[in-house]
Amino acid sequence: MSRIRALRSAAACAVCSSLALGQGFTDLTARAGVTGLQNTTTAYGTGFACVDVDGDGDVDLVMPDAGGLTVRLFRNQGNLQFTDDTAVSGLGIAGAPAAIGAFDFDNDGDQDVLVGNWRTPLQLYVNDGTGRFVDQAPALGINSSSSVFSLSFGDYDRDGFTDVYVGNRQTASTSLGEVNYLFRNLGGTGFVEVGTAAGVDHLGLTLVAPFIDYDEDGWPDLYIANDKGNNGVPNTMFRNLGDGTFADIGAQINCNQAIDGMGVDFLDVFCDGGVDIFCTDSPSDHLFLQWDPNAQVYVDDTYTYGLSGISLGWSTHWFDYDNDGWQDLHVVHYAAPNQLFRHPGTSAPGPWTDVSFPLGISSFYGQYAAVPVDLDEDGGVDLVERFNFDRFLGNPQPVQVYRNNVSRGHWLKVRTEGTVSNRDGFGARVTVRTSSHVQRQWVRSGIGYKTGNDRRLQFGLGAATTVDEILVRWPSGTEQHLTGVAVDQVVDIVEPRFDLVGVPQVGTTAGLRLASPNDAGLPYLMFLSASPAGTTPLPNGLTLPIQVDSLTVYALGVGNLLLPTPLGTIPANGTAATSALTIPNLPFLSGITLRATAIVLDPAGYPGVRNVFPDAVTITIQ
């Protein structure tokens, strides 16, 4: 039996077993301590954020209460136990809370919280590193008051700092679309609004707008889902041109459907390449767009797989509830049962099975927002749901926390930390390979509906006991490989960095520094080149960003005077490795420019080189 068939068979047995044992998702809200909230009344629901505010490795809940009440902080104590730390958090009163998200705006290593309110000012709560916050939105240039529905984070200009896209629905005086905002991050010191200059001051009734690199060229694009598209502005895609501007190409790639676009998530659904998109809609339809790499357009495959809706759809997420290696699809409906479509592990046409009812998560109350997240760090993706006040349907409680008890396979969770790229790693593409199965996900935000998702990526691994390879393509362009990774753990992946230390002056010594904590104990090589441009292909298909020349050969030689230690070992404690760069005392060298790069070798793993940098370090001798 093939591995894929074996995974599908094992997963099917696991589902049957869990159902037979009465397992599934269990409501543990009261036990978890997520209590005391009011039912929200904000138009079209209130979001919340799943974020590690104190850096202790588990996910806390930042949960705005009803309008005019405090933004609440439920701190995770482990084992699905939360304490209400609102009183000491510094989080203030929300105006009319709508969308909420978290990101590290200043790259200082902690998560800051952005609250988008309906017609009252945005609030940017800056974290002191311990989960204590101060609202600094006005001082940092986040000073708008609009009809916020969506907050998305991504580094659109790839300068290493996270920018913010705010999706707005309508103007205050009419039902016409209100312009969206793009706040450009000014190096962690503040923001400036550039939506018009960038060409993304979109006028649809925007409900969700995540950054999606649909063409995988390394530049984050923007997918806009609009409400009332049949009577107004349809969904679209803005392609990032790499020069600070975007172009509307929705019609060119067939993603400009005129629907009631509500919630969005994206994924390489069939693990075959391509960025696929799911968007919720009004009944009786949703929208599943599969990327066709040959035609370079999206194909509407909603009915191909039976993913059309049964009611008014809102939040949606891809997550692998049984860890069989295939991402399942969760869809929230208002006033109708929610759905969880189980991925069958094949791209063959045919309806997917809705397993929400037997798993106990087919609630049908007044609901808009939900987030799948592993709250107890046991490898099973749990579920948090937020309800709105509805005088006809009633509500079980304002929030429900469901624990995942399903029998499931192995798993791997990946947390990214950028060093050249933005600290959160938003936009990084993570590929996980086990035997013949390959999965891809992107570190993303602004998905679902009005919520801040856990930015860590979870991969179900089925019966696999080792991850053969993890490949991270960072927003900077750096490609990083890890091999032979153990399963059932959270892996922190830090972006490698190679740079110049000191000033390269004639007759002095500077240094070349390689920081790559995930490669501790492995050998590295540093290269110099006098060629002004060019690249060199490596036997494994990777490419050095320098042209190998006579200087390269010399600088690799034993006893050379320029780069005495081009070969070394990454320190076991994960600190940077530095090699001296000695500039001879020869005045004619002043003004000469050299280029440098480095690789880390993995003798026992594929592809043999652990990371490759996209650009060479420029060294101008003074």
Side-chain angles (χ1 to χ4, degrees), residues 45-84:
T46 299
F48 59 94
C50 299
V51 53
D52 183 1
V53 300
D54 49 12
D56 65 353
D58 53 27
V59 176
D60 311 298
L61 299 176
V62 180
M63 192 85 63
D65 215 323
L69 298 178
T70 309
V71 178
R72 306 281 290 278
L73 171 61
F74 294 95
R75 196 183 296 264
N76 196 333
Q77 305 297 331
N79 194 31
L80 268 176
Q81 297 286 322
F82 292 81
T83 56
D84 187 345

Side-chain angles (χ1 to χ4, degrees), residues 29 47 87 101 113 131 206 208 249 252 261 276 293 300 321 346 361 372 402 407 440 450 460 466 481 548 572:
T29 310
V113 173
T206 301
V208 61
I249 60 159
Q252 298 174 37
D276 309 313
D300 184 351
Y321 81 93
T346 177
I361 51 173
Y402 289 96
S407 299
R440 304 191 312 157
K450 286 191 174 182
T466 300
H481 297 257
V548 170

Side-chain angles (χ1 to χ4, degrees), residues 38 47 267 303 309 402-403 432 445 450 517 519 538 600 621:
Q38 304 295 314
L267 192 74
Y303 287 91
Y402 289 96
R403 183 179 189 273
V432 170
S445 78
K450 286 191 174 182
D519 297 327
L538 298 174
V600 176
I621 300 175

Side-chain angles (χ1 to χ4, degrees), residues 50-55 62 101-106 108-114 124-133 153 415-416 423-426 453 455:
C50 299
V51 53
D52 183 1
V53 300
D54 49 12
V62 180
F103 69 125
D104 186 355
F105 94 90
D106 50 4
D108 66 350
D110 55 46
Q111 294 292 292
D112 310 299
V113 173
L114 184 61
L124 177 54
Y125 289 101
V126 178
N127 195 338
D128 71 354
T130 68
R132 302 293 185 262
F133 298 89
F153 308 116
R415 189 185 75 87
T416 53
R423 182 67 177 259
D424 291 314
F426 286 126
N453 55 289
R455 64 182 176 83

Side-chain angles (χ1 to χ4, degrees), residues 183-377:
F183 287 99
R184 181 174 180 266
N185 193 325
L186 301 175
T189 62
F191 295 84
V192 60
E193 204 287 307
V194 296
T196 300
V200 291
D201 52 341
H202 185 65
L203 277 170
L205 301 175
T206 301
L207 295 191
V208 61
F211 286 96
I212 298 178
D213 184 10
Y214 84 93
D215 53 1
E216 302 191 61
D217 66 351
W219 293 94
D221 313 301
L222 275 166
Y223 179 73
I224 313 292
N226 293 318
D227 195 7
K228 313 303 181 189
N230 286 309
N231 301 315
V233 181
N235 293 0
T236 197
M237 183 79 76
F238 284 94
R239 183 173 185 266
N240 192 330
L241 302 181
D243 60 0
T245 66
F246 294 75
D248 187 342
I249 60 159
Q252 298 174 37
I253 62 173
N254 192 38
C255 69
N256 63 332
Q257 287 75 18
I259 63 173
D260 295 333
M262 307 294 189
V264 170
D265 197 3
F266 61 96
L267 192 74
D268 182 357
V269 173
F270 295 108
C271 306
D272 57 357
V275 186
D276 309 313
I277 301 170
F278 187 85
C279 181
T280 55
D281 188 9
S282 296
S284 59
D285 207 2
H286 291 318
L287 180 65
F288 175 43
L289 295 176
Q290 189 175 181
W291 179 250
D292 182 338
N294 297 317
Q296 293 288 293
V297 298
Y298 278 101
V299 177
D300 184 351
D301 275 332
T302 311
Y303 287 91
T304 304
Y305 302 106
L307 300 178
S308 58
I310 59 174
S311 185
L312 184 60
W314 293 96
S315 186
T316 186
H317 291 88
W318 296 99
F319 75 99
D320 187 356
Y321 81 93
D322 55 0
N323 288 343
D324 68 346
W326 299 94
Q327 299 285 315
D328 311 297
L329 178 63
H330 184 244
V331 180
V332 168
H333 294 115
Y334 192 96
N338 295 340
Q339 293 178 299
L340 179 60
F341 292 102
R342 185 172 180 272
H343 197 307
T346 177
S347 60
W352 291 15
T353 302
D354 177 11
V355 296
S356 61
F357 180 75
L359 291 176
I361 51 173
S362 59
S363 60
F364 57 91
Y365 300 98
Q367 183 181 7
Y368 299 95
V371 175
V373 55
D374 184 3
L375 293 173
D376 52 2
E377 302 298 319

